[in-house]
Structure formats: structure tokens, C-alpha cells
Amino acid sequence: MTVADRRNRGTILALTGPAYLWLTATIFLPLSAMLYCSFLDKSPLVPQPASLTLRHYAAFIEKPVYQQLMLWSLELGAIVTICCLLIGYPAALALAKVIKGRWREAMFLMVVLPFWSNALVRTFSWTMVLRPGGLADQAIHVVAPGAPALNLLYSYPAVVIGLVHSYLPYMILTCYISLQAIDDSVIEAARSLGARSWALFRRVVFPMSLPGVLAGSALIFVPAVGSFMEPRILGGTKGATLGMAVEEQFTVTANWPFGAALSFLMLGAVLLICLVLYPPARKRMEGL
Amino acid sequence: MSKSISRITRRRFVAGAGALGLGAAGALGAPRILRAQGGKITVLNWQGYGTDEAWALEAFNKATGIEVVHDYFNSEPEMITKLRTNPGAYDVVLTNSAWNGVASAEGLIQPVDTAQISHFNDLNPSLRDSALLAKDGKVYGLSWVWGMTAIAYNTEKVSPAPVSVEVLWDPKLAKRISLRDDAIEAVSYGAIATGQDMNHPADLAKVKERLLALKPQIATLWSSEDEWNKLFQSGTFDVAVYWSGSAARSKTNFKLPVGYFVPNEGGIGWFDGLAVAANAPNSDGAHRFIDYMVDPTFYVEWATKVGAPASANTKANEQLPAEDVGRQIHADQAAIERLQFMAPLSDEERQAFSDLWTEVKAEFAK
């Protein structure tokens, strides 16, 4: 090993060390504590000694309602991710390749604006927009008087709207970074070789931006699957997710182990999905 | 109620409220002049639930020199967790009829020395001596306030005034009903509607069937008083399960057209006790604070200024003005007799109720 190598290694350690230490302390330790908790037969902090059990994982299999909720949560995560991609990608493309200068800055400000408000406030403000006779209805009546009321509040679409609004910036920002890194000369080369717009997008631009798309999708899919606040406030009885059931185990039944088991089953399902989807995506990127 | 009584009551109320500054100091300080003054106590309670009213803490501090600081919980399991994980951190803790037994069984709270409570004899005996706030014949929670979880309705839209729990299932009110998103409350009302013991219903399948039948009825579920008021005001629902003290506040403070009744079949009753934490650093101060909390001077101001559940102190309730909405709601003796009071549930029961409610909600979502 050369001196330069060794110095490099030291630099890498110094640069990444704090982040890893932080991650270990704030994510790994509480998560492992919760994983252990999910195998206990009673909540931690109860004075009686606890013993290990698989009961809570068995309960998930025995009670079909929790499997149903998991399926719904995964479905909701997928729908939200796809909607974010469909709305966010074109916006990122425009920001990276069309809009320039000060306009770009202004657009960025609008993209990150939702991050500046509290998630709960943001969600409640949607209830004012979506409720019958709310802002959305009023706006439609200006354009088309006599149009029927939307009546979106307390429906599944309302949950999707709220979640897409919350997570859209992740998709725009990650896609923007990938798109912006594509050298304009590559695009010019493709054009000079006779690629039309659609072929240019499908065979050059989109594949090269795939890392951003994947990163954005993962950043959105995972929290959307675990969401419980937006489904409750915007979905009313139509929003039911496993996240809400997990919350119930911590606040109502005081059954931490079951809540932890449900969380880890969800985590397992999400990891499984990533595991299945990642290799083909990687192949696609390596083929470039 | 006759006019003469109401006039006396009003006069007494005005006198009581007017004399708060000096009056409170006198009432609190005089009998215990020999006690140590000052110090600090920590109270564990829901946020905005009486004990943390700024004017009250000021009056209490003036009278005793004791500074009151607060910590809050958002659910009863959280309250128990906080007591378990922070022994010696709290002096006074709010425990209700369903959770006091849990806390005392685990040794998280200590018996209240009732000799130190000057208002003890004025407390309603059926609450004061309830087994739900006691263990081994000792008082573990001093009964403070009580209330009902019954049914509120929009008086402008629902007539005649409903009297039965069946109003929740009335097909004419499809999509006009709301319940709190709470497993125990939902199961309790399912049990009441099927004529069962609310705390330990023998036939949970029947309860589930009744709750599932609410699917076409429910507009949405609510989770906080603030949300309830907003939903009611925007006309999202016309009939909803609601807390009695909150119903009084909605009517008095927000001028909402709220009617309130305990169904003929029964309703949910609950009462809150103030307990002294085990290892309380200032148990003397804790007792004095609890005594102040059941003092009519404090209660009348809390009820009239802010809105409160009914006091466990019968004298305090009598001092409310006759037109006070809360007083009217809580004075219907026949309704009170129809209440079933919330009792402790075993972990298994709580889990069964929660599973049942989750299943019902999943069915609602389909």
C-alpha cells in the first residue's frame, strides 16, 4: 500500500466516520432494540420479566386483516410513487434542460416550498381545498359553473393527492440531478446521428437518468408505504394502512411487541420488493 | 330548577369568582399555615386539561409559593410508560377510572393521604369511594372530574331530538354519522347497542356485526375535539359520539347548535382521579395541588372561563351558574344512572377490541 493510498483511506474514514457513527447511533441501535422487542411476549418496561416468543409474527398470519392492510399499504406506496414519477419527471426534465437562469431558481423555490411547512399543517390545508364547497370546488365553478361538486375529501384519491404533494419534491430533485448531469453534447450527438425526439428520450436521456428515478422512487415508496397520518386525515374511513395499525399498537393497546413485529414485516416486504426490482434496473444501467 | 335557587347560585358564583385573588389565597393558605412553603411539583397530564391553566397556577403559586411544571402524555399507555421510565420525576399524575388500577398494581402511584385534602368530604361519594380509584381500601386517585361519552347531534338538522342509540344506525342519517377513531369507545357503543356489559362484552361477534352495519352511516371518524368542531361546523356529520365537557365547550365557546343526550340503552361514563406518583419528590406539595384542583374556586373559574367536565366536588358543581351548559348536561340524574363506567381492561381484552376495530375499519375502507 502506498503512502497516498493510506492517506486516502484516512481521509475517507474521517469524512464518512461521523455519518456512519451517527447512523449507527440513531438508526441501527433503536431498530435493533425494536427488532428484539418484536420477539418479546410482553412490552418492555413492564416489571415482569419477558420471554421470547414468535407469537406476534404468528398473529400476523392468523389475522387476515393485517395482511390485507399490508397489501393496501404497498399498493398505496406504488400508486404514489408512480404518480410522483409521472408528474415529477417532466418537471425535472424541464428544469434541467429547458428553463435557465433566474426562472430556474424561482421554479426550484416552488418545488421545495412544501418542505418548509409542517406535514400536519400541509395535510390539514388539503382538507380545506378538497372538502365539498372547498377551494377546489370553487375554482372549478369559476371555470364551469354548474359542474357537480368534486367531493374528494375522505376518499382514496384524496390520500394519494396529499401524499404525492408531500413526496413530489424528492422525485423532482433526484431526477433533476441525474438529468442535469447528462452532457448536452451527448444529446447533440444523438440528434446528429438522426435520433428523433422520442427515440432520443427513450434510448438516451431516460436510461441515463435512471439512477435518479430509482433513488427518487425508493425515497418515496418507503415512507408512503408506512404513512398513517395522511390516510387518516384525508382518507377518513377510506384510508386504511398498516401504518395506522402499527400506531394503534403503540398508543392504544400498549402492545409494543406486536407493533414492532408489524413494522418489521412491512420492512421485510419493502426490502423484498427492492431486492426483486433492483437487479434488472442495475442491468439496464450497466448496459449503457 | 326554581328561579330563586338559580339566583342564589349566580350570586354565589359571582362572589366566588370575584374574590379569586385573595379568596383563593385564604382558602388554600389558612388551614395549613404551619406547612413548609415553596418548592416545585411536576404534573403529568393531558395538555390543556385544567391543571395547566396559567391563571390557576399563578393563584396556586401565590397561595403556596409552589411552582408547578408540566409534562404531557398523548395516550394512557404513554402515561404509564412515562411513570415506569422516570421514577421520581413526577408528583401529580392524572389517572382515570380505567387506568388508575393499572398504575397502582404496578406500584407507580402511592395512596393519597385523604387527611390532607380539605375538600374530601364534599366529593361525590360514589366517585370518591369507587373501587376503580382504590386498592386495598386505600384511595390511589382522588376523584377530580367526571364526564360522559354520549351522543351529540345538530339541533338544526336532526329532529325530533333522538333518545336511542339506534340513531347511529338510522338509514335517514346515512353518511351523517361520526365516531371517534378509538377501539374501546367503538366496542363500548357496539356493546351498548346489543345490550351487553360495555367493559366486558360476552359476545364480541355481535358487537362486530353491529359496528359493520355502520358502514353506510359513517361520514368520517374524528380524533380530537378541535377536529370534531371543524367537522361539525363544516356540516360533515350531524350526529356523533362526543365527550360531555367538549359538547359544552362547542355550544358555549363556539356557539355551535349542539344537542347532547345519553341514549336510553346507556352511555359511557368515565371519571378522572389525581394521583400522587410513587417516589414523588414533593408529596406534600402534590397533596396541596390536588386539594386546590378540587377547590370550588378553581373549578368554577375553569368551567365558566374555559369549559370543563363535571367536578367530583358536589359543592363546586352547585356554584356554577344555572345557565351553564356543562352544568345542564351533567345534572340530568336519570341520564347519569344509565351510564356504565369505564373499568380496567386486561391486555388481552384491549388487544381483542383493537383487532376487532381494525377489522371493522378495514371493511369500511373497502
Side-chain angles (χ1 to χ4, degrees), chain B residues 56-173:
Chain B
L57 300 188
E58 217 168 278
F60 180 69
N61 183 273
K62 227 182 205 170
T64 62
I66 296 171
E67 186 201 344
V68 182
V69 292
H70 272 81
D71 189 13
Y72 301 108
F73 56 81
N74 294 304
S75 70
E76 277 104 355
E78 190 187 341
M79 177 268 291
I80 296 287
T81 306
K82 285 198 162 180
L83 286 179
R84 277 178 192 150
T85 46
N86 307 306
Y90 304 109
D91 296 288
V92 176
V93 53
L94 180 98
T95 57
N96 67 17
S97 51
W99 287 87
N100 186 272
V102 178
S104 63
E106 270 192 38
L108 299 171
I109 51 180
Q110 55 172 300
V112 176
D113 179 7
T114 56
Q116 289 191 54
I117 307 297
S118 64
H119 300 288
F120 191 70
N121 291 327
D122 298 336
L123 302 181
N124 184 337
S126 57
L127 302 175
R128 183 189 69 195
D129 307 332
S130 166
L132 296 174
L133 294 183
K135 193 183 86 173
D136 308 328
K138 286 189 194 124
V139 174
Y140 271 80
L142 192 82
S143 55
W144 178 41
V145 289
W146 67 272
M148 310 177 259
T149 304
I151 300 177
Y153 61 98
N154 189 326
T155 50
E156 287 169 0
K157 294 194 183 152
V158 184
S159 72
V163 290
S164 162
V165 73
E166 292 302 323
V167 69
L168 300 177
W169 285 270
D170 184 349
K172 286 202 290 287
L173 290 166

Side-chain angles (χ1 to χ4, degrees), chain A residues 44-47 63 65-66 68-69 72 131 154 232 236-238 240 248-256 258, chain B residues 75 77 81 84-85 106 181 183 215 218-221 231 234 236 350-351 354-355 358-359 361-362 364-366:
Chain A
L45 310 171
V46 172
K63 297 171 184 166
V65 66
Y66 293 106
Q68 172 88 73
L69 288 174
W72 283 348
R131 74 178 152 82
Y154 307 131
R232 169 169 304 155
T237 57
K238 297 298 165 198
E248 173 118 346
Q249 305 315 317
F250 283 89
T251 59
V252 179
T253 61
N255 193 348
W256 289 25
F258 187 46
Chain B
S75 70
T81 306
R84 277 178 192 150
T85 46
E106 270 192 38
D181 186 3
K215 183 174 177 178
I218 300 280
T220 187
L221 303 170
L231 294 170
S234 64
T236 306
R350 212 173 289 121
Q351 190 64 47
S354 165
D355 288 347
T358 303
E359 283 165 16
K361 282 196 293 182
F364 285 174
K366 271 179 193 164

Side-chain angles (χ1 to χ4, degrees), chain B residues 184 199-201 204 344-354:
Chain B
I184 294 164
N199 287 304
H200 314 287
L204 273 180
L345 301 175
S346 68
D347 288 347
E348 288 71 26
E349 280 171 320
R350 212 173 289 121
Q351 190 64 47
F353 291 6
S354 165

Side-chain angles (χ1 to χ4, degrees), chain A residues 46-282:
Chain A
V46 172
Q48 296 91 7
S51 49
L52 295 175
T53 174
L54 283 170
R55 197 177 74 204
H56 307 296
Y57 290 92
F60 176 80
I61 297 164
E62 285 157 12
K63 297 171 184 166
V65 66
Y66 293 106
Q67 298 159 33
Q68 172 88 73
L69 288 174
M70 181 185 280
L71 273 181
W72 283 348
S73 297
L74 294 172
E75 187 188 81
L76 179 66
I79 291 173
V80 169
T81 310
I82 290 167
C83 288
C84 283
L85 184 63
L86 291 179
I87 301 168
Y89 192 88
L93 193 59
L95 275 171
K97 296 293 168 205
V98 184
I99 301 165
K100 305 269 185 234
R102 195 169 281 177
W103 275 105
R104 185 187 280 178
E105 282 169 32
M107 296 295 280
F108 262 117
L109 189 72
M110 283 168 70
V111 169
V112 295
L113 215 54
F115 279 164
W116 292 2
S117 60
N118 174 288
L120 201 63
V121 173
R122 214 185 305 144
T123 309
F124 272 112
S125 62
W126 272 111
T127 65
M128 297 198 302
V129 175
L130 297 176
R131 74 178 152 82
L135 293 174
D137 272 356
Q138 286 173 20
I140 286 171
H141 284 166
V142 168
V143 185
L150 274 179
N151 220 350
L152 271 177
L153 190 57
Y154 307 131
S155 68
Y156 196 76
V159 180
V160 175
I161 290 173
L163 286 171
V164 167
H165 177 235
S166 292
Y167 295 125
L168 191 57
Y170 291 113
M171 187 62 87
I172 296 181
L173 294 178
T174 53
C175 289
Y176 169 79
I177 290 166
S178 293
L179 286 164
Q180 190 239 13
I182 302 173
D183 198 330
D184 282 346
S185 58
V186 174
I187 295 170
E188 279 157 23
R191 278 205 189 279
S192 75
L193 290 171
R196 289 172 190 260
S197 293
W198 175 242
L200 173 67
F201 174 73
R202 198 172 58 87
R203 301 187 56 182
V204 180
V205 178
F206 187 71
M208 288 182 82
S209 66
L210 213 50
V213 172
L214 287 179
S217 300
L219 279 176
I220 293 166
F221 182 69
V222 174
V225 161
S227 63
F228 59 88
M229 188 258 290
E230 293 89 348
R232 169 169 304 155
I233 296 172
L234 297 174
T237 57
K238 297 298 165 198
T241 64
L242 194 67
M244 286 158 81
V246 170
E247 191 205 5
E248 173 118 346
Q249 305 315 317
F250 283 89
T251 59
V252 179
T253 61
N255 193 348
W256 289 25
F258 187 46
L262 289 179
S263 310
F264 278 98
L265 284 163
M266 181 62 103
L267 188 67
V270 170
L271 282 178
L272 202 69
I273 289 171
C274 292
L275 230 61
V276 170
L277 293 183
Y278 186 65
R282 205 182 131 114

